[in-house]
Amino acid sequence: MTLSSLTYTPPIRRAQRAPKLDYELLELATELANSGKAKESVQKVFEHLFPTTPIPDLAVETFRFTQGSSRVTSKIEGDSLTISVPLVKLPSGGAAIAALRYVLTKISGSGQLHQPRLRGDDIHLEFHDKLSRLHPAKVVEALRRMPATADGNDDWLIGQFGAAPLERESVLGLTDEEVARAESVWRLHWQEVDELLKESQRKRSLFFLNELTAYAVYRLQTTLPLCGFLSARINESAATFNNSEEDPLKRETSLAKCLKDMSAVSSEDLKKSLGHVEYALSPLADGTPQVLSGYFGEVQYMETIDKLRHSAKPMDGALALACTFNYLLARFSWPDVVRVELQAGLAIASEKAWRDAVGLMFDHAREIVAKYGEDADDDDEEEDDGDEDGEADEADADE
């Protein structure tokens, strides 16, 4: 049966607004580093990144923070700064070799500031450098990238290779009502993706495929607090099916396998991969007026949607806009008033026929950019690092 509409459900994932960072502190850190005051420079970098948390003297006291499932420690020992994140404890037998191979090929890297360290069976990610060699940019990169890498790979190592958790931060479980809602969203999502994939195979449209694969990822990220092995499995598959550089048939095959596997997930396994987590450093990009204008302003993407909604392809336009609303909610931190408006754009089109849905979302997008956007320059009109595939493709691009 051909899908006749998309359904919006309010998010269970809790919104987290990133604190405003003081970039004058970062500039001061650079000045201090250039004048040879390395320890003071490092202190200012931490004050810049953690504006709501008192920063101790790192030469006297260890500073700890939580990034998802990662527990991060930072300290100055002698003339060096060390930042460390526990990853996993290796399993026994041949699985340990497979896990190490994954760590060396996927997590380690030449020229990378942080590297994995093996102590006994325990793997940590570490950054270690002398204060005299530290530039503030190196400290910022280590603090932002290393905990995120640990948070993004520990569940995969545990679920795929049988590794054991190592000093992980606790996750706040969902209430029974939230779990029930989450399962309803999960089942409905993969049913919709299944029908949309069949439609994509009929259309043979690269534009439609790109929007579908992005929707498959970002709709879940917007709505559910996925934080465990299932999230890692989806991300692993999405590296293929949501990659516009891959062969379209390979992407369809990857998405088909993913949705089949995810549809078969038991209620208990789904529950294990749900939880509310804390991030000391926001994993979301800063939502700005320029971002809104880059997607909903006078740009080619919206011109394409406008053509679709007035043509025989309103489904394509509705899916694209639903994908973009979800993408903006999943990947950016917005002021509450903007976040509510973006959610409303999805809600007003929920269960509406395709032509009605695309018209409602299009008009609402224009209203949002009129209220909260600003004219985007040429760079802002480009797609954001390819994270949401398909926005630059023509609507009638067929294969």
Side-chain angles (χ1 to χ4, degrees):
M1 181 180 68
T2 302
L3 192 67
S4 59
S5 64
L6 295 175
T7 302
Y8 170 75
T9 50
I12 301 168
R13 188 188 78 165
R14 296 177 179 176
Q16 296 187 24
R17 178 65 174 154
K20 186 175 180 61
L21 302 185
D22 184 351
Y23 283 91
E24 290 185 0
L25 286 174
L26 191 59
E27 293 175 3
L28 178 57
T30 301
E31 294 173 6
L32 289 168
N34 291 337
S35 62
K37 298 179 179 179
K39 179 178 174 294
E40 293 83 351
S41 172
V42 170
Q43 289 284 147
K44 292 302 176 185
V45 172
F46 276 79
E47 291 173 18
H48 159 69
L49 288 175
F50 304 95
T52 61
T53 305
I55 305 299
D57 183 343
L58 295 173
V60 176
E61 182 180 344
T62 299
F63 178 65
R64 296 177 173 85
F65 67 92
T66 297
Q67 192 69 8
S69 60
S70 299
R71 181 178 298 172
V72 189
T73 59
S74 309
K75 57 184 175 181
I76 293 176
E77 295 181 304
D79 62 351
S80 298
L81 172 68
T82 299
I83 306 172
S84 180
V85 187
L87 189 59
V88 293
K89 181 182 290 291
L90 287 174
S92 58
I97 299 174
L100 280 172
R101 185 181 297 116
Y102 177 89
V103 170
L104 291 173
T105 57
K106 299 293 187 179
I107 299 178
S108 179
S110 61
Q112 188 173 270
L113 291 180
H114 66 270
Q115 297 293 344
R117 298 284 184 263
L118 180 63
R119 296 186 178 89
D121 291 332
D122 297 348
I123 301 178
H124 291 71
L125 298 187
E126 286 189 0
F127 168 82
H128 182 88
D129 206 352
K130 289 187 177 298
L131 294 173
S132 59
R133 293 200 296 260
L134 280 181
H135 187 278
K138 293 173 70 175
V139 183
V140 169
E141 181 176 350
L143 287 169
R144 285 197 175 278
R145 293 189 59 186
M146 187 171 63
T149 299
D151 183 48
N153 287 277
D154 55 358
D155 287 306
W156 182 254
L157 286 163
I158 293 166
Q160 189 72 8
F161 303 106
L166 181 64
E167 300 177 43
R168 282 165 61 98
E169 285 292 348
S170 60
V171 173
L172 179 62
L174 276 61
T175 65
D176 291 344
E177 186 270 338
E178 287 177 327
V179 170
R181 285 174 54 206
E183 180 161 11
S184 176
V185 170
W186 179 267
R187 306 298 176 197
L188 175 63
H189 174 72
W190 294 113
Q191 290 170 11
E192 289 184 349
V193 170
D194 190 17
E195 293 300 323
L196 290 168
L197 178 57
K198 294 173 184 175
E199 188 67 26
S200 177
Q201 291 167 335
R202 286 192 291 269
K203 288 177 176 291
R204 313 314 306 166
S205 165
L206 185 58
F207 178 89
F208 193 90
L209 175 63
N210 287 337
E211 300 297 341
L212 163 59
T213 57
Y215 180 78
V217 176
Y218 297 120
R219 193 273 184 95
L220 286 180
Q221 289 185 5
T222 298
T223 311
L224 299 184
L226 283 172
C227 61
F229 184 47
L230 290 181
S231 178
R233 287 176 64 185
I234 293 171
N235 290 337
E236 185 76 8
S237 296
T240 297
F241 71 67
N242 196 33
N243 183 354
S244 60
E245 300 299 317
E246 290 281 4
D247 177 77
L249 292 178
K250 183 178 179 181
R251 294 171 63 191
E252 287 182 347
T253 300
S254 175
L255 178 56
K257 183 179 186 308
C258 180
L259 75 87
K260 181 180 179 181
D261 292 343
M262 295 303 105
S263 298
V265 166
S266 68
S267 300
E268 187 61 30
D269 285 342
L270 175 60
K271 184 178 180 180
K272 291 177 182 177
S273 286
L274 294 169
H276 300 295
V277 295
E278 175 186 342
Y279 291 97
L281 295 171
S282 175
L284 305 179
D286 190 24
T288 64
Q290 292 88 347
V291 171
L292 291 174
S293 296
Y295 284 95
F296 292 152
E298 298 298 329
V299 293
Q300 182 180 351
Y301 179 61
M302 288 297 280
E303 292 176 5
T304 298
I305 301 298
D306 198 27
K307 292 177 183 177
L308 289 170
R309 73 189 186 114
H310 290 109
S311 71
K313 297 182 179 180
M315 181 183 191
D316 302 47
L319 174 62
L321 278 178
C323 174
T324 300
F325 274 104
N326 277 292
Y327 170 73
L328 293 174
L329 286 165
R331 294 298 300 273
F332 294 89
S333 172
W334 300 100
D336 287 345
V337 64
V338 178
R339 175 176 53 81
V340 169
E341 289 276 19
L342 289 170
Q343 291 170 346
L346 293 167
I348 59 175
S350 181
E351 300 183 1
K352 298 289 195 305
W354 295 118
R355 193 170 298 281
D356 293 336
V358 67
L360 289 167
M361 283 189 286
F362 186 91
D363 291 342
H364 193 72
R366 290 300 201 202
E367 291 173 7
I368 290 175
V369 83
K371 289 181 182 178
Y372 307 108
E374 69 179 41
D375 292 337
D377 59 27
D378 292 339
D379 289 336
D380 289 325
E381 293 180 14
E382 296 297 325
E383 189 176 328
D384 182 70
D385 294 330
D387 283 328
E388 184 187 3
D389 287 320
E391 295 195 353
D393 296 291
E394 292 298 329
D396 58 354
D398 297 325
E399 296 190 317

